[in-house]
Amino acid sequence: MKLRIGAAVPQEEEQTIEIQGQDQVSGLPRPATLTTGEVVEALHDALGEIIETARRVLEKTPPELVSDIIDRGVALTGGGALLRGIDKLMTKELGVPAYRVDNPTTCTAEGSTRALEMYPLIRRNLPAV
């Protein structure tokens, strides 16, 4: 539902989806229709927390790294990056460009694979475990 009609910000084109749920009064299954606007509203608080966390991270980031982030932007990864308009919302709220990477759902695994191949080179920079 989140990926089919959901969005982080209101959209020009309102979409709907029919879902099945349990009526809390009768306990019986009942269909319901949700709109993009309703999903945007439902996600508002959770997205606000994500943005606030990103803001706190940026505030604690050393200035030399922040300048790189301002130049290159914030890369959005994971399934949440697939939410329509999240890049626009993050850019607006953080004041820093945000963009979705090419393969948001697999890029972390792809990067980990590359890091494992380079382990002998990066080992000296890793903390002792």
Side-chain angles (χ1 to χ4, degrees):
M1 172 176 51
K2 177 176 72 174
L3 295 177
R4 291 219 2 233
I5 68 165
V9 293
Q11 302 290 298
E12 288 182 23
E13 182 182 334
E14 186 83 359
Q15 296 180 326
T16 61
I17 188 171
E18 181 131 338
I19 60 167
Q20 294 289 327
Q22 184 178 22
D23 187 304
Q24 293 297 311
V25 176
S26 68
L28 298 173
R30 183 174 69 97
T33 301
L34 291 177
T35 66
T36 300
E38 291 169 324
V39 176
V40 169
E41 185 179 333
L43 293 174
H44 181 266
D45 290 344
L47 291 173
E49 289 182 33
I50 291 169
I51 290 165
E52 190 54 38
T53 300
R55 182 176 284 118
R56 285 195 304 268
V57 168
L58 286 172
E59 288 170 356
K60 293 180 179 182
T61 301
E64 60 275 10
L65 293 179
V66 171
S67 66
D68 287 343
I69 293 169
I70 290 170
D71 290 344
R72 295 188 179 133
V74 174
L76 303 175
T77 65
L82 298 174
L83 188 62
R84 283 180 293 159
I86 194 158
D87 53 342
K88 293 179 180 100
L89 178 66
M90 295 286 281
T91 297
K92 177 183 169 213
E93 295 296 324
L94 295 176
V96 175
Y99 64 94
R100 180 175 49 206
V101 299
D102 289 337
N103 303 314
T105 57
T106 60
C107 67
T108 302
E110 292 169 22
S112 298
T113 301
R114 290 182 188 166
L116 282 174
E117 292 169 357
M118 298 169 42
Y119 182 73
L121 295 172
I122 62 174
R123 186 172 89 192
R124 66 178 177 240
N125 294 317
L126 298 174
V129 180

